Amino acid sequence: MKKYHHRCQHVTKKNLDLLLEVTPKSRRRLELTDEIRSTIAHTAYMAQQNKSYGAITALTQQYNISRQFVYNLLYTLQIALILSFSISEENAAKNKRDEIGKILSLKFEGKSPHSGMSEVMKRFEMPNCSEGYISQVLKEIGAVLPEIQEIEMEGKFSAHLVDDEIFVKSKPILMTGEPKSTLLLGISLAEDRTADTWSEHFESILKANPKLEITGATTDEGKGLCSAIEKTFPFITRQPDTYHGVAHIFGLLRSRFEKKVEMAIEKEKERDRVSMGRKTDVTFEKKYELYEKAQKETIQAVEEYEDFSYLYGCIIHQLQPFHSDGETRDRIRAEQEIETALDLMDEMGIEGIKKDVKTVRELLPELLNYFEQTKESVNKCQKLGVSDSSLKVLYLAWQWDKAFTKAKKKGRRDRAKWERDFYIEYAQDLLGDAFERIKEAVFDELNNIIQASSPIENLNSILRFYLDASRNQTTQEFLNIFMFYHNHRRYKSGKRKGKTPMEIFTGQKQEKDWIELLLDIIEKKKPDFFL
């Protein structure tokens, strides 16, 4: 494209009038003469070549037409120029593929807004660098792609679902993924998040993948989502999100207790300062009484914080699938321990926490459903032909690795890393040359233990970056490309480094880069797209 642009600077308006005659199908059904259409195309083309900003807008206002109509005439002219200067159809298609590949890279790998993409393309003198053209191309690409991922696998295959929604303005984006691979199965811009809407989303996934069997789901407690799962998948076990169900609720409560302690200490210090600045003995006695009262309040706040933190820690400890010796935790015993901790929280007599304790208590019958998967995974690991002692060490290495990934505070991350590395080295000594093979098999099997919907929430945070960059303006077409990009791009770091979500899920090697794959699909579904 770039080659003939420079050769066409001398083309006169009369020549362009003639060139436009070769593509009458592009004419819009408006009362515009051929001469006016030629004038519009000529003006738009020369404005693009000379980087004259605002010319397209001026044309729309002058002739009372849409921007898209102007771009249609411009595209018609560009095709006519290609034919006029005998540039082969093959080269033209290759040039446009390269151009669109760069647009896709800037948008999804560079995470650039359309305005930023346009500026970069102008700097490197790339053709078709207007924001309108970029937006139109991405819309057309997204329209070719489905909002549900179609998975090509032989025979039946299964998946555990993780589901969540993210809001763009007042509309929810429904997202469903598979946690081990982080593969997105579907992403839908919806009008609401009712049970019926979620059910339609799930049924679309099943319709697009008739060989897919859903084995379970992990979600938060959204009413519409939970009702839809019960309706669409009545025979699966739903796992409540242990983070949203326990850690998030009690973590916020602990922060409140901690803040209360800080405020009590500051108040005590202030009372002490005031009482020491007495002028008379009578004043001192009054001020000192207030100081003593503040002291008691501080002691009470500290005791409440310590008691609650201890009980909260006991509950979190019971959520771990394995004991500190590598033995599998018993579900009934763990539920009893959590129930006891909740009873003691109630006995603290603090009105503010009773509602949250009740919420967790109501979740308890289903909260530890993943313990059943833990038993199943342990049974499969025991068939690997290594000693139980070696397996237990690897169980603990996996458990601390999960803790390291989830920890946000430096102290916790450092502790988790130290413990994980210790058990990894211990397992290396026990297993010798078989370590890597056994470790990979054990970790892969234990990753089937899904306690939270964090994998889909991580995707939410990635998508949020794009939504913020576009000022929360999005379309289903954009979401379709985002899903394709995520499912076929290679991870740059972490435990999935060098692999794509689709590769991990299917076990089939992805030979091409995600952009090449996408361009191939476009060319197959829309053969004239690059012409």
Side-chain angles (χ1 to χ4, degrees):
M1 297 287 285
K2 185 175 180 181
K3 290 180 181 179
Y4 73 80
H5 283 316
H6 294 293
R7 297 171 57 192
C8 296
Q9 299 298 323
H10 66 283
V11 177
T12 66
K13 179 176 178 299
K14 184 177 180 181
N15 298 141
L16 296 175
D17 293 345
L18 295 173
L19 290 172
L20 283 174
E21 290 294 320
V22 303
T23 54
K25 291 184 180 180
S26 66
R27 296 173 182 172
R28 188 176 177 182
R29 293 182 180 179
L30 296 174
E31 294 181 357
L32 294 176
T33 65
D34 290 347
E35 183 178 358
I36 293 176
R37 277 193 283 271
S38 298
T39 299
I40 295 170
H42 174 266
T43 305
Y45 179 81
M46 297 311 296
Q48 185 184 74
Q49 297 306 302
N50 297 324
K51 297 181 173 59
S52 178
Y53 305 118
I56 303 297
T57 300
L59 286 170
T60 62
Q61 294 173 350
Q62 180 180 353
Y63 293 100
N64 192 27
I65 55 179
S66 68
R67 294 176 66 88
Q68 184 58 52
F69 181 52
V70 176
Y71 282 118
N72 286 343
L73 290 177
L74 179 58
Y75 300 154
T76 301
L77 173 58
Q78 290 171 337
I79 293 172
L81 287 171
I82 291 173
L83 296 174
S84 175
F85 286 92
S86 301
I87 293 179
S88 70
E89 187 176 286
E90 181 181 350
N91 287 337
K94 182 179 184 302
N95 288 338
K96 192 165 183 181
R97 276 180 68 105
D98 291 343
E99 171 191 311
I100 293 176
K102 290 172 183 175
I103 289 175
L104 289 167
S105 179
L106 283 170
K107 182 63 181 178
F108 292 95
E109 296 173 332
K111 297 179 174 63
S112 302
H114 291 180
S115 58
M117 294 169 63
S118 178
E119 288 300 317
V120 172
M121 293 170 71
K122 288 172 185 175
R123 174 175 291 278
F124 292 102
E125 299 183 351
M126 294 170 60
N128 304 319
C129 53
S130 68
E131 292 183 44
Y133 178 81
I134 293 168
S135 178
Q136 181 63 25
V137 163
L138 292 175
K139 184 177 181 180
E140 290 179 10
I141 293 173
V144 173
L145 298 173
E147 64 185 71
I148 302 299
Q149 178 65 61
E150 297 177 4
I151 304 168
E152 296 180 3
M153 291 183 69
E154 295 182 3
K156 292 186 177 181
F157 56 98
S158 61
H160 183 105
L161 302 184
V162 283
D163 306 281
D164 200 10
E165 65 269 323
I166 181 174
F167 280 87
V168 51
K169 292 187 176 179
S170 60
K171 289 187 175 182
I173 299 173
L174 312 184
M175 300 176 69
T176 294
E178 192 280 327
K180 285 181 65 177
S181 63
T182 71
L183 184 77
L184 261 175
L185 296 171
I187 182 167
S188 306
L189 181 62
E191 292 297 325
D192 54 55
R193 50 175 177 164
T194 61
D196 288 342
T197 303
W198 269 109
S199 291
E200 289 176 8
H201 174 76
F202 291 140
E203 287 166 0
S204 297
I205 293 175
L206 295 176
K207 184 177 180 180
N209 298 281
K211 297 178 182 178
L212 174 63
E213 178 188 4
I214 305 302
T215 59
T218 300
T219 72
D220 59 23
E221 297 309 298
K223 291 183 179 179
L225 175 55
C226 292
S227 297
I229 288 176
E230 185 176 351
K231 174 184 176 182
T232 314
F233 311 113
F235 302 110
I236 70 168
T237 299
R238 188 187 72 86
Q239 170 62 52
D241 188 314
T242 55
Y243 172 75
H244 287 284
V246 179
H248 181 66
I249 293 174
F250 285 159
L252 290 176
L253 277 175
R254 185 172 63 177
S255 295
R256 279 169 46 191
F257 280 113
E258 188 174 9
K259 186 67 176 178
K260 185 177 179 181
V261 170
E262 292 172 357
M263 293 174 64
I265 291 173
E266 288 299 318
K267 183 179 179 180
E268 180 185 343
K269 288 180 179 178
E270 179 62 17
R271 292 297 185 191
D272 183 39
R273 185 189 66 78
V274 171
S275 66
M276 291 299 102
R278 66 193 183 284
K279 293 183 179 180
T280 65
D281 289 342
V282 174
T283 304
F284 172 76
E285 291 296 333
K286 290 181 179 179
K287 299 297 182 184
Y288 195 75
E289 286 179 5
L290 293 175
Y291 167 67
E292 288 182 323
K293 181 180 178 183
Q295 268 190 324
K296 292 178 181 178
E297 289 175 354
T298 300
I299 292 171
Q300 181 181 356
V302 170
E303 288 177 349
E304 288 177 352
Y305 170 73
E306 290 181 344
D307 290 346
F308 182 83
S309 295
Y310 172 76
L311 295 173
Y312 171 46
C314 290
I315 293 174
I316 293 296
H317 189 67
Q318 295 302 319
L319 297 179
Q320 299 293 341
F322 301 102
H323 290 282
S324 58
D325 60 357
E327 288 287 346
T328 305
R329 195 178 298 277
D330 179 71
R331 176 174 183 169
I332 295 176
R333 179 66 182 274
E335 287 178 345
Q336 291 173 345
E337 294 287 345
I338 294 174
E339 188 71 52
T340 300
L342 293 174
D343 290 341
L344 292 173
M345 284 183 177
D346 270 336
E347 291 177 11
M348 290 176 65
I350 302 172
E351 192 64 32
I353 70 173
K354 288 186 176 182
K355 182 180 178 181
D356 290 330
V357 169
K358 181 181 178 182
T359 299
V360 175
R361 198 189 301 276
E362 290 173 349
L363 281 179
L364 191 53
E366 296 181 324
L367 189 64
L368 304 182
N369 282 339
Y370 62 92
F371 275 42
E372 302 307 314
Q373 178 60 53
T374 302
K375 289 181 181 179
E376 184 178 332
S377 293
V378 166
N379 288 336
K380 290 182 179 179
C381 289
Q382 289 174 341
K383 297 176 182 179
L384 293 173
V386 296
S387 66
D388 283 346
S389 58
S390 298
L391 290 174
K392 289 176 182 178
V393 172
L394 285 173
Y395 298 159
L396 293 174
W398 173 84
Q399 188 161 274
W400 281 110
D401 184 58
K402 299 283 282 187
F404 173 74
T405 302
K406 291 186 291 185
K408 293 180 174 61
K409 294 185 177 180
K410 186 178 184 303
R412 293 177 184 172
R413 283 180 65 84
D414 290 345
R415 164 75 190 285
K417 183 178 183 301
W418 188 93
E419 294 282 1
R420 179 197 64 187
D421 293 347
F422 169 79
Y423 286 110
I424 287 291
E425 291 179 9
Y426 191 2
Q428 285 177 321
D429 291 339
L430 291 174
L431 295 170
D433 294 339
F435 168 73
E436 287 295 340
R437 176 178 61 82
I438 299 300
K439 171 184 170 293
E440 184 176 351
V442 170
F443 275 38
D444 182 68
E445 181 55 48
L446 295 181
N447 284 336
N448 289 317
I449 304 170
I450 310 299
Q451 295 178 246
S453 57
S454 51
I456 202 71
E457 290 167 6
N458 291 339
L459 289 182
N460 279 354
S461 64
I462 295 172
L463 177 58
R464 174 55 64 191
F465 187 94
Y466 292 98
L467 297 178
D468 290 344
S470 64
R471 299 179 182 178
N472 280 333
Q473 300 290 331
T474 194
T475 62
Q476 184 61 55
E477 289 83 2
F478 168 78
L479 297 176
N480 295 346
I481 307 176
F482 173 80
M483 180 172 70
F484 186 93
Y485 159 68
H486 169 74
N487 286 346
H488 298 88
R489 53 97 178 203
R490 295 196 181 279
Y491 278 102
K492 302 297 183 183
S493 59
K495 62 184 180 182
R496 302 179 183 92
K497 182 178 179 180
K499 298 181 180 180
T500 72
M502 185 62 77
E503 275 183 335
I504 298 171
F505 185 82
T506 64
Q508 300 169 7
K509 180 68 175 176
Q510 179 179 308
E511 300 295 342
K512 292 186 178 181
D513 177 71
W514 73 272
I515 291 180
E516 286 299 314
L517 280 175
L518 178 52
L519 296 178
D520 288 346
I521 290 173
I522 296 170
E523 192 168 34
K524 181 179 180 181
K525 293 188 176 182
K526 202 172 182 181
D528 61 344
F529 187 84
F530 297 110
L531 298 180

